[in-house]
Amino acid sequence: MLVSPVFGPEPYRGVEDLVGYLAVGGYAPLTARDRLLDRIAAVGLRGRGGAGFPAAVKLCAVRDAPGRPVVVANGEEGEPGSVKDRWLLRHRPHLILDGLRLAAAMTGAERGFVYLSDALAEQAVRHAHAERPTGLRVDVVRTHHAYVAGEETAVVRRIEGGPALPTAKPPRPFEAGVGGAPTLVANVETLARIAVMHMCSDAAVGVAGAHLVTVSGSDGCAPALAEVSAGTGLKGLADLCGHGGAEAVLLGGLFGGLHGAGWTDLRLDHDRLKAAGGALGCGALHFLHPEDCPVAVATEAAAYLAAQSARQCGVCVSGTEALAGTLTAVGRGAADDAAADRLHRWSRQLPGRGACGLLDAAARIAATLLAHFPGRVAAHRDATCPACADPPPGDGRRFTVPVP
Ligand code: SF4
């Protein structure tokens, strides 16, 4: 796997240790917490967990809420096509612990957690935790790996000893999280970027604007973890990673939908991708090549999401199963005349009705398949598609990328 520069001019190798981290300015005292917060706001750092919410707004909300805040480094990476968070935890644990320390200082928290599921990541974090300078009390909380386990209310629930399943909102964790305290649940990449901004204020604009992206596809090219600037064209990124012949892209892990003709004009930018009907999400990009059937890809994605439903919300259970089942029937040429209408209707009606974004992701998969590939969908009525003949695996294997 290609690992391009990650928070530095050269590709990062190995696992950072305390000596090396201190040598580059790590764990430097924070003498003016508001100055760092102002810098984060000024450069417009957005959270890297998927929603792209402004980091400074979230920090201020936690700081200003009544009660003693809690901070959480969220390293549970539910999207099967993303590896950036586990890579950071395994290779840059001090950067994350330092970012967590700074987040605690900015919000006034005296308690922190690192939340993760990956065993190697846990090992690296525990080692770094043992050798780091004393300060913020930090506990490592392990969860099971699941699509929804990193959702912020699921994080709080698991830290409190419950299952890693989302809860209804409000309240959101910034209002009432761990033990009822205002809680910052921050993605580990977000915290890592805060730590770099503190070490090197001159680089803040570039650090806030860059994204870690996981690039994969089905043509035999090795997946890549790359750090690229906001606004980078997807076509250039695809060329760089060996996917120049791609015909489509699945955006944001499974969250941003399928994009066909015109995908080469897309750029890595939350707002522009949203305007195009997609989402950057966690920054995972899966390219589809001419040999890939978009109906098969959509069906596998929907089947995986149906299998990952936490089965708490009735509308999610019935909605994801209906989407996956109907897409399977479309792929086999066995759908009735009203199937496309039903998919259209569900993709409009289902988003926002579950306690988390899983149902929205499944609905967007169906909506973008119909919008971008009407001819390929219709062709399944006239001829057998070998890629759609077998039942779709529900384990997400097509999209799963190994952590480098
Ligand atoms: S929307 Fe689905 S995955 Fe999310 S909490 Fe409800 S049942 Fe669980």
Side-chain angles (χ1 to χ4, degrees):
M1 171 182 269
L2 163 73
V3 180
S4 80
V6 177
F7 304 123
E10 300 293 333
Y12 199 88
R13 311 245 180 251
V15 178
E16 67 188 356
D17 60 14
L18 181 62
V19 173
Y21 190 63
L22 290 173
V24 296
Y27 295 118
L30 180 64
T31 51
R33 70 174 197 175
D34 288 346
R35 197 178 306 155
L36 178 58
L37 198 43
D38 289 346
R39 191 181 306 149
I40 292 167
V43 298
L45 177 68
R46 295 170 76 152
R48 295 302 200 273
F53 196 73
V57 173
K58 205 164 165 182
L59 284 160
C60 290
V62 172
R63 179 195 64 184
D64 298 339
R68 176 65 73 184
V70 170
V71 288
V72 180
N74 184 7
E76 170 46 17
E77 192 164 44
E79 284 285 358
S82 180
V83 297
K84 68 182 182 69
D85 295 336
R86 283 166 289 170
W87 187 92
L88 278 171
L89 286 161
R90 289 183 186 187
H91 295 265
R92 308 295 310 269
H94 281 295
L95 198 59
I96 292 164
L97 288 170
D98 200 7
L100 188 64
R101 169 191 72 102
L102 294 165
M106 286 185 283
T107 57
E110 293 177 347
R111 185 89 195 271
F113 295 90
V114 179
Y115 176 81
L116 44 71
S117 68
D118 181 62
L120 292 177
E122 180 181 11
Q123 201 176 312
V125 169
R126 287 194 183 281
H127 181 80
H129 179 262
E131 66 174 3
R132 78 185 169 131
T134 53
L136 176 71
R137 177 184 165 192
V138 175
D139 292 299
V140 178
V141 175
R142 182 97 178 259
T143 187
H144 66 281
H145 184 55
Y147 192 82
V148 298
E151 195 273 344
E152 62 176 2
T153 59
V155 173
V156 169
R157 202 169 169 188
R158 177 74 192 105
I159 288 173
E160 290 181 327
L165 299 175
T167 56
K169 297 174 275 289
R172 289 192 171 273
F174 79 86
E175 300 164 302
V178 177
T183 300
L184 178 82
V185 180
N187 173 263
V188 291
E189 184 190 346
T190 313
L191 293 171
R193 292 191 181 280
I194 288 173
V196 176
M197 282 184 198
H198 179 51
M199 278 187 275
C200 186
S201 57
D202 292 347
V205 172
V207 171
H211 290 270
L212 281 177
V213 293
T214 311
V215 180
S216 63
S218 54
D219 70 339
C221 285
L225 174 63
E227 185 171 28
V228 293
S229 302
T232 295
L234 263 57
K235 179 68 171 82
L237 184 57
D239 289 341
L240 184 70
C241 297
H243 296 287
E247 289 190 343
V249 62
L250 179 58
L251 287 175
L254 303 180
F255 192 70
L258 280 164
H259 298 263
W263 76 265
T264 51
D265 297 327
L266 297 175
R267 294 188 169 275
L268 274 177
D269 180 277
H270 279 289
D271 298 329
R272 285 198 243 186
L273 290 179
K274 188 175 176 188
L280 179 55
C282 62
L285 306 169
H286 181 85
F287 288 100
L288 278 64
H289 290 262
E291 66 272 21
D292 292 319
C293 170
V295 177
V297 172
T299 304
E300 286 187 37
Y304 173 74
L305 292 168
Q308 289 290 312
S309 167
R311 308 187 77 79
Q312 299 188 118
C313 317
V315 67
C316 177
V317 177
S318 59
T320 54
E321 287 179 357
L323 287 164
T326 304
L327 287 169
T328 301
V330 167
R332 290 180 178 165
D336 59 52
D337 291 344
D341 287 342
R342 286 199 302 280
L343 288 170
H344 275 300
R345 190 172 71 249
W346 292 335
S347 62
R348 283 194 309 273
Q349 293 175 343
L350 292 176
R353 294 186 58 197
C356 76
L358 182 143
L359 183 56
D360 302 31
R364 200 198 304 259
I365 291 282
T368 51
L369 174 73
L370 295 172
H372 288 265
F373 303 95
R376 299 287 292 270
V377 172
H380 283 69
R381 301 187 66 164
D382 306 322
T384 302
C385 173
C388 294
D390 295 327
D395 57 7
R397 68 187 70 160
R398 178 193 289 269
F399 312 108
T400 301
V401 174
V403 185

